[in-house]
Amino acid sequence: MLHASYSSLLTKLLFTLGMFLLWINTVAQTQELGMFNENTDVGNPQLSGSAEYDAATQMYTIHGAGYNIWFERDEFHYVYRKQSGDFVATAHFEFVGAGVDPHRKTGWMIRESLADTAVHLSAVSHGDGLTVLQWRTEPGASMRDPEDEIFFPDKDIDIIQLERKGQTITMRVAKEGEEFRLVGSHTLERLPKEVLIGLFVCSHKPEVVEEAIIRDVQINE
């Protein structure tokens, strides 16, 4: 009987230790992503992306492939969290290297879900310096040019800000050391109260992985 009691106690201790190690691993993974909870490839791109967070510098390094974020479906790498209600998201974006395609993309994205056909709105900086607010109004709907985007006249911006007020999303941009300027606003009636908000990279070339560095990331409610 004594042996059985020790065996039972050992089993309980091992179970408790296992659960503790699982909790530690979950906490470590969350901390590695800073203010975000998850990172994943959306749309099953040919090459996998990844994300790293440096707690000392509070800087994100994101690698992403994918054919595009356009037409009726998207492919990209996404670092995100769930967010309810109104908020203002701001960050400094910078591509690494010359890049392969001038249409490679990084920026902020608000998304209804992780489905590749989901309703979304993106504040985008392209590899060639183009800055644009773009969106998909219905699940699986084909995004249209120029009906579903607003272009900013200047290129090579550094900082992108995306603000949600109800169903209306507003994009502002700035160069380092300068004040924000308005890109435009769009109202998406289908956006739920709780959305996904995060950072993304799309290479615009299925066979290529591009890299971006994002710093000074803030999400204020």
Side-chain angles (χ1 to χ4, degrees):
M1 293 295 293
L2 185 62
H3 177 75
S5 296
Y6 277 126
S7 177
S8 176
L9 179 60
L10 180 60
T11 300
K12 290 179 179 179
L13 287 173
L14 289 174
F15 175 79
T16 302
L17 178 61
M19 293 301 293
F20 177 74
L21 291 175
L22 179 62
W23 176 79
I24 288 292
N25 183 58
T26 301
V27 171
Q29 289 179 349
T30 301
Q31 289 175 338
E32 287 174 1
L33 291 172
M35 66 177 61
F36 300 101
N37 304 115
E38 303 288 346
N39 80 106
T40 189
D41 286 319
V42 173
N44 193 29
Q46 180 178 322
L47 299 177
S48 297
S50 63
E52 300 173 2
Y53 175 69
D54 187 328
T57 61
Q58 298 184 345
M59 183 174 71
Y60 297 83
T61 302
I62 304 177
H63 299 84
Y67 93 99
N68 204 350
I69 302 172
W70 198 249
F71 300 116
E72 75 285 349
R73 58 176 296 272
D74 311 317
E75 290 182 359
F76 61 97
H77 195 76
Y78 196 29
V79 179
Y80 67 95
R81 77 185 201 190
K82 293 180 180 179
Q83 184 76 36
S84 295
D86 296 343
F87 58 85
V88 180
T90 309
H92 183 288
F93 295 85
E94 178 183 353
F95 282 111
V96 176
V100 175
D101 193 291
H103 295 292
R104 60 180 175 162
K105 299 175 174 69
T106 187
W108 282 108
M109 181 182 292
I110 296 172
R111 201 167 184 90
E112 183 181 30
S113 73
L114 292 177
D116 59 352
T117 58
V119 170
H120 83 270
L121 187 143
S122 304
V124 185
S125 175
H126 293 71
D128 62 358
L130 179 67
T131 304
V132 61
L133 179 67
Q134 61 182 53
W135 56 84
R136 178 181 293 114
T137 58
E138 299 286 339
S142 183
M143 296 168 67
R144 302 161 299 165
D145 185 356
E147 292 89 348
D148 295 333
E149 53 191 350
I150 301 173
F151 293 92
F152 189 63
D154 294 348
K155 289 190 173 185
D156 300 317
I157 59 90
D158 301 308
I159 304 168
I160 298 175
Q161 184 179 88
L162 205 55
E163 179 179 13
R164 177 179 186 175
K165 285 187 176 181
Q167 304 302 96
T168 300
I169 312 298
T170 299
M171 178 181 177
R172 303 178 185 89
V173 296
K175 293 188 177 182
E176 195 75 48
E178 296 181 359
E179 294 185 357
F180 280 103
R181 289 185 287 169
L182 178 67
V183 176
S185 299
H186 184 74
T187 300
L188 274 177
E189 299 294 345
R190 280 192 58 96
L191 275 184
K193 182 177 180 180
E194 182 179 80
V195 295
L196 306 179
I197 172 69
L199 314 167
F200 69 90
V201 171
C202 172
S203 67
H204 205 271
K205 287 283 187 182
E207 67 279 9
V208 173
V209 175
E210 293 284 6
E211 179 181 356
I213 293 174
I214 301 99
R215 56 182 173 86
D216 302 328
V217 179
Q218 300 179 39
I219 300 178
N220 300 315
E221 299 179 2

